[in-house]
Amino acid sequence: KKGASIFATLTNWSHGDAYDRTGTLFTLSEKKAKSMLDALQNGLDELPVVTDNLGKHYQGFTSTMEYEVPVELMRFFTSFGVSHFNEIREIENYPWQDSVVYKQEITSLIPNNQNEIWIGVFIGNYDRGGHQVSLDLQFYPPWGEGRVAEKYIQPLFNTVNIMEMSGQNYGRLFRYDTLEMDFEIPENVSGLEMLFTTTGHGGWGGGDEFNPKLNQIFVDDELVFSHIPWRTDCGTYRMSNPASGNFQNGLSSSDLSRSNWCPATLTPPFRINMSRLRPGKHHIQVVIDQGEEEGNSFSSWCVSGVLVGDKK
């Protein structure tokens, strides 16, 4: 509340799962009548539904007058089995890490006008062993004294299916539709930005995980963001991936370039300047060149958008 800088440090290690999974650190607001917390307690029927052009339902993807999506603080990806598989996959001259540590500043996303907030961690998982995490929050005092502005934090959308195991759908609507919603900016907000986090998924050769895809954002029909999110540095993190598959040509699966993520890394958000938006109602559209399905395989995108700024 006094202007501290805030960092989150999350340590992760495998407890039996060999694969790279999507992870998210998030907060749940109680500013509106409902949040993801209600669904976690009472089931998916608590969430508002978005229906795409094919009639498929997506629960809790956008904020409404009554519901607010989780505020994503950190998007991270587990490694291929760090810790649990270190001794199982011993290789000469490969000093495997004992865990993966992710640290990211989250100052603009932690409210300074509330006495209590809910914080959660989700990791997608299909293995009984799963993963373990330890979360540490660091608060660093400000450099000097002075007035501290109240933070403005407004989450717009979040397609990370935190309730995947309860049946919440994947973000696979972009092939035939657009993620869109209305939102309103109040008076007296300065320094307005949108933190946009995006990662592509579809883990076969033709899937979006391994193929660059254009992401675009329109606000009031004006293009404000156009980018192909892509990571080519995944081989840097080989020592955190003992259970990664190895191919005949010498490559490891964890080395392969991906749609804005790598096994054992963070994916920081893009910062989009929204200062030209005036107070009042606006309309946002997220457009992604999602690929076609192949048999039982499909691509999906985990995207989240949060407006941040200061209240004057």
Side-chain angles (χ1 to χ4, degrees):
K1 291 185 176 181
K2 296 182 180 180
S5 297
I6 308 170
F7 286 75
T9 300
L10 189 143
T11 304
N12 165 244
W13 57 97
S14 168
H15 197 243
D17 189 1
Y19 291 95
D20 47 344
R21 309 294 189 187
T22 303
T24 180
L25 173 67
F26 59 92
T27 61
L28 297 173
S29 171
E30 295 186 295
K31 292 188 296 184
K32 295 186 177 181
K34 290 187 177 182
S35 72
M36 182 67 73
L37 187 60
D38 295 280
L40 289 167
Q41 293 172 323
N42 304 316
L44 284 178
D45 289 342
E46 296 284 345
L47 300 179
V49 171
V50 172
T51 304
D52 70 10
N53 289 328
L54 299 181
K56 294 181 179 178
H57 299 307
Y58 302 89
Q59 309 95 333
F61 276 13
T62 58
S63 293
T64 66
M65 293 293 291
E66 295 80 27
Y67 169 78
E68 189 165 273
V69 299
V71 175
E72 185 165 43
L73 305 178
M74 177 192 290
R75 178 82 55 83
F76 66 94
F77 292 86
T78 69
S79 72
F80 283 92
V82 77
S83 182
H84 182 85
F85 288 88
N86 285 13
E87 295 182 1
I88 299 173
R89 298 287 181 86
E90 286 188 345
I91 301 176
E92 188 176 356
N93 296 322
Y94 274 67
W96 304 124
Q97 300 295 311
D98 61 1
S99 61
V100 179
V101 179
Y102 319 85
K103 185 171 183 176
Q104 182 170 319
E105 184 178 2
I106 56 172
T107 304
S108 62
L109 294 167
I110 298 296
N112 58 359
N113 62 341
Q114 296 176 229
N115 291 324
E116 181 180 272
I117 58 174
W118 288 87
I119 297 180
V121 180
F122 163 79
I123 294 176
N125 184 59
Y126 304 89
D127 185 281
R128 184 171 57 186
H131 300 263
Q132 292 182 322
V133 299
S134 175
L135 174 64
D136 205 18
L137 299 176
Q138 296 93 30
F139 297 83
Y140 299 93
W143 297 107
E145 298 294 330
R147 177 184 174 273
V148 177
E150 181 181 334
K151 296 177 189 177
Y152 172 72
I153 304 169
Q154 182 179 352
L156 300 180
F157 52 86
N158 190 335
T159 69
V160 182
N161 51 341
I162 293 169
M163 293 188 64
E164 174 185 1
M165 292 303 163
S166 296
Q168 187 183 15
N169 211 342
Y170 294 83
R172 51 190 294 192
L173 73 164
F174 297 99
R175 174 65 183 166
Y176 300 102
D177 212 335
T178 298
L179 182 68
E180 55 186 323
M181 60 172 294
D182 295 316
F183 66 98
E184 188 168 355
I185 298 174
E187 299 280 350
N188 300 321
V189 174
S190 64
L192 189 65
E193 293 182 308
M194 184 168 72
L195 305 185
F196 175 62
T197 307
T198 177
T199 53
H201 307 271
W204 78 101
D208 283 9
E209 176 177 335
F210 299 113
N211 292 279
K213 298 290 182 175
L214 178 65
N215 283 222
Q216 294 179 304
I217 297 177
F218 297 83
V219 176
D220 301 331
D221 295 324
E222 179 184 350
L223 181 65
V224 299
F225 178 84
S226 182
H227 186 70
I228 298 175
W230 191 246
R231 291 281 294 268
T232 60
D233 61 331
C234 295
T236 304
Y237 309 97
R238 183 69 184 91
M239 292 305 112
S240 295
N241 291 281
S244 177
N246 298 303
F247 306 118
Q248 290 180 340
N249 63 356
L251 271 175
S252 167
S253 177
S254 62
D255 296 340
L256 299 176
S257 300
R258 288 173 168 84
S259 284
N260 208 32
W261 64 276
C262 298
T265 68
L266 281 169
T267 293
F270 295 101
R271 305 186 76 96
I272 305 172
N273 189 330
M274 293 286 187
S275 59
R276 60 186 173 278
L277 294 184
R278 295 292 167 257
K281 294 182 178 180
H282 299 275
H283 187 75
I284 189 168
Q285 297 170 297
V286 182
V287 181
I288 299 176
D289 182 25
Q290 182 178 304
E292 296 183 7
E293 298 178 7
E294 186 176 310
N296 293 325
S297 299
F298 61 87
S299 294
S300 63
W301 284 80
C302 290
V303 299
S304 68
V306 185
L307 293 176
V308 297
D310 291 324
K311 293 184 179 180
K312 299 178 183 177

